């Protein structure tokens, strides 16, 4: 299902998405970054800091959900023309393991791109000491709207 | 379905839940608070700050999800004995309106409390100028585990 | 949240919804019926038959989901003008107890009605010997489209 | 994520799963079959019949959900010892296209197998005239219980 050679974005589209991402105060404050972008794909990363943790030292499930949802939103945006925005209608997250590690990574793919509705899947993993552990999977349903 | 007179918690149970909540670095940093607790119920509040926003000035959907999930987790905990903890297995959030306002409020009820699985519903609203607007609804599925 | 006096539908709207429901081969074959309709509400019922069961004699979870989803779809339709149809985008069902009994009942409410997106909640119970046991809760997200 | 050479099941495990599946009255009545089984995998098929349709001639979304949920349940069962059963806690289905065609196919993979909780993904497609069209994706959360 996941093609190995996703198409690159137009530079203007990539710039626009990165600028919009950078203009989100909450994501900036969290420290989330776009690690890579391609048509129908987005990878976000978020380095661990003590204030992003639950009591057990793992990333809070809310942070895991936030990164997954934003990865889905960015991936959806890669399929839309500049004058349309992806708006999250609903999302669902399965927490599969505690997110304990140095970097949280959310990888989203568009699995259905329609005129009105886009559906993305986002898998979240945590990097720790050079290896990666899956910690969540999510599905995000978005609406394409005029900006 | 929502009883009008939820039973109060034992003071020791309430104290334990409030302490555990206060020990979560991420929730503390966000500024989330337990506004009220009862058997099978929890209400959390979170005052707006500019760094919790999306570009449009509304609470980020990730914050909305975080407050909903944590409200569900706290509500689930009210039904469990002290030696057991509620662990989120999955949750699902429908974003129904942008969360624009001064205070975000998540109200969770336990709708199914079993030996192993607890299911909660959490509705999220935003207060603005004295009135409340619903902005999301969510369902949270939790596992009861030994601490 | 659930008002006690939901508004009645226009007779022409009610007739149209009942006719559309009756024209669904699968629902007819199952034996599902509209027990009541009001603005933003629908109650569907389905009598038990041995061929709707799992091996343990309870209604199959797929049947529970089918009744919930259709109740949501009918409730959504009550809020739409005649020239628009409610199309299910996604739904989520929590199975809370085995559906063992004589009649399955799904009660759906519209909890958000927008120009494009409608969100419904549907609770499913099973009647057995005069009493009712909740067996599932679900959320249904629908798109309003031109017929 | 999807390995290309899934491990075969022990013949006794496969026989047991097929017998349990065949003993479900509702699935038998629908005409659902296990097309293939492997460790952590299940593929179910369901030939179209007029009485499984909505008014537009597509498989009813409830049928799509039923096949997805059962595929997830069977896939989960392949990872469990004979004395434990997989019980569906919740599932979520995104309907991505109308299921119009001759055969509905649900392919499920276990994406997280724990002592208590199993998470499966099931993708549903419809075959029509020799080609396949994806029509839904779903996530199923199951509990492992003693039989």
């Amino acid at each position: 299902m996941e093609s190995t050679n996703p198409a690159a974005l137009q530079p203007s589209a990539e710039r626009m998405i990165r600028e919009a991402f950078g203009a989100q105060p909450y994501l900036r404050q969290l420290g989330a970054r776009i690690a890579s972008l391609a048509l129908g794909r987005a990878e976000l990363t978020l380095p661990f800091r003590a204030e992003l943790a639950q009591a057990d030292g793992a990333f809070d499930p809310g942070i895991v959900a936030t990164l997954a949802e934003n990865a889905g939103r960015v991936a959806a945006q890669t399929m839309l023309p500049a004058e349309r925005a992806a708006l999250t209608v609903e999302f669902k997250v399965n927490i599969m393991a505690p997110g304990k590690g140095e970097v949280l990574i959310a990888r989203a793919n568009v699995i259905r791109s329609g005129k009105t509705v886009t559906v993305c899947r986002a898998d979240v993993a945590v990097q720790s000491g050079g290896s990666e552990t899956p910690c969540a999977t999510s599905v995000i349903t978005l609406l394409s709207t005029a900006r």
Side-chain angles (χ1 to χ4, degrees), chain A:
Chain A
M1 177 166 289
E2 345 249 319
S3 74
T4 44
N5 266 320
L9 289 184
Q10 292 293 100
S12 63
E14 172 143 2
R15 196 166 49 236
M16 195 181 150
I17 290 174
R18 288 185 177 274
E19 280 175 12
F21 188 86
Q24 309 274 5
Y26 179 57
L27 292 177
R28 204 166 44 207
Q29 185 247 130
L30 276 181
R33 288 186 22 213
I34 297 180
S36 74
L37 278 178
L39 197 64
R41 307 265 192 115
E43 181 175 314
L44 304 187
T45 54
L46 173 60
F48 183 74
R49 301 196 312 271
E51 67 262 38
L52 302 183
Q54 300 189 97
D56 67 356
F59 281 98
D60 188 274
I63 299 278
V64 172
T66 297
L67 206 67
E69 187 266 332
N70 277 287
R73 219 184 321 161
V74 171
Q77 191 65 50
T78 66
M79 307 288 283
L80 298 180
E83 69 277 11
R84 298 193 72 78
L87 194 73
T88 296
V89 172
E90 66 86 39
F91 61 109
K92 184 255 202 275
V93 183
N94 273 69
I95 304 292
M96 301 197 294
K100 267 198 181 168
E102 296 114 39
V103 183
L104 199 63
I105 306 173
R107 296 182 181 97
N109 301 294
V110 172
I111 55 175
R112 197 263 186 191
S113 177
K115 197 166 61 88
T116 313
V117 175
T118 303
V119 181
C120 294
R121 180 176 297 155
D123 291 312
V124 185
V126 68
Q127 269 183 349
S128 177
S131 78
E132 251 188 48
T133 308
C135 61
T137 190
S138 70
V139 179
I140 306 105
T141 307
L142 306 107
L143 203 64
S144 145
T145 59
R147 278 186 195 278

